[in-house]
Amino acid sequence: MHGPRFVRAAAAVLLVAAVAKCDLFGIAHAADAVQWRVDVQVATVAGLAHHDAKAVWDQLRVGDALQLVREADNAHDRSAVRVDWQGRVLGYLPAADNADVARQLDRGQALDAHVTAIAKYRNHRRRLELRITRVLGGAAGDTHPAPAERPR
């Protein structure tokens, strides 16, 4: 019988061989592929009536990626975070809810945002909800499943 040292040494050799085989065939290491997403915030976009949301409303879909753009020089809100979709300004994160996201963007944190709910009411008001996630491991913008639509 082999002792515990032999078993550990054999396991280490097998692990090194597996990693070498991955390198040989161009397969990504499992550790490199691990990516965690942590929910930072769910918010409703403010100012939809004052920007491009009306022009692109019928094209927006649940799961669409949104861009968060920090506007540190905004005259109305020093913590302003603009919400864009395909280069069009939709609105802003509400002033009451933007400080944490602004701070993370200022620190260079990788944040993703996706549409989670879309509503248009009979009085022509619009509501756009988004989910902001922080990427841990990997890079922001990597493909991942779209968040499930929330009940209205």
Side-chain angles (χ1 to χ4, degrees), residues 13-149:
V13 167
L14 288 174
L15 179 62
V16 169
V19 169
K21 188 173 186 176
C22 286
D23 286 340
L24 179 66
F25 292 107
I27 301 170
H29 297 152
D32 295 337
V34 172
Q35 183 180 83
W36 296 90
R37 295 186 178 280
V38 177
D39 283 351
V40 172
Q41 179 174 330
V42 174
T44 301
V45 178
L48 294 173
H50 306 291
H51 302 285
D52 297 334
K54 185 176 181 180
V56 299
W57 194 257
D58 292 332
Q59 300 168 44
L60 289 168
R61 300 286 179 263
V62 169
D64 281 357
L66 300 169
Q67 294 76 44
L68 301 175
V69 180
R70 181 70 169 93
E71 288 189 356
D73 59 347
N74 186 300
H76 303 288
D77 182 1
R78 293 178 60 181
S79 297
V81 177
R82 191 177 75 226
V83 178
D84 290 358
W85 176 79
Q86 297 184 0
R88 305 286 296 264
V89 177
L90 298 179
Y92 288 81
L93 289 183
D97 299 328
N98 65 6
D100 184 49
V101 173
R103 190 170 27 259
Q104 289 187 52
L105 290 172
D106 288 345
R107 292 179 181 160
Q109 294 293 329
L111 298 178
D112 281 342
H114 289 84
V115 176
T116 55
I118 301 170
K120 183 176 179 183
Y121 301 104
R122 284 194 286 175
N123 65 359
H124 303 290
R125 294 201 56 163
R126 292 174 167 81
R127 183 175 151 272
L128 182 68
E129 183 182 88
L130 61 89
R131 176 181 311 263
I132 301 169
T133 56
R134 180 173 172 201
V135 180
L136 304 174
D142 287 348
T143 56
H144 60 283
E149 185 172 359

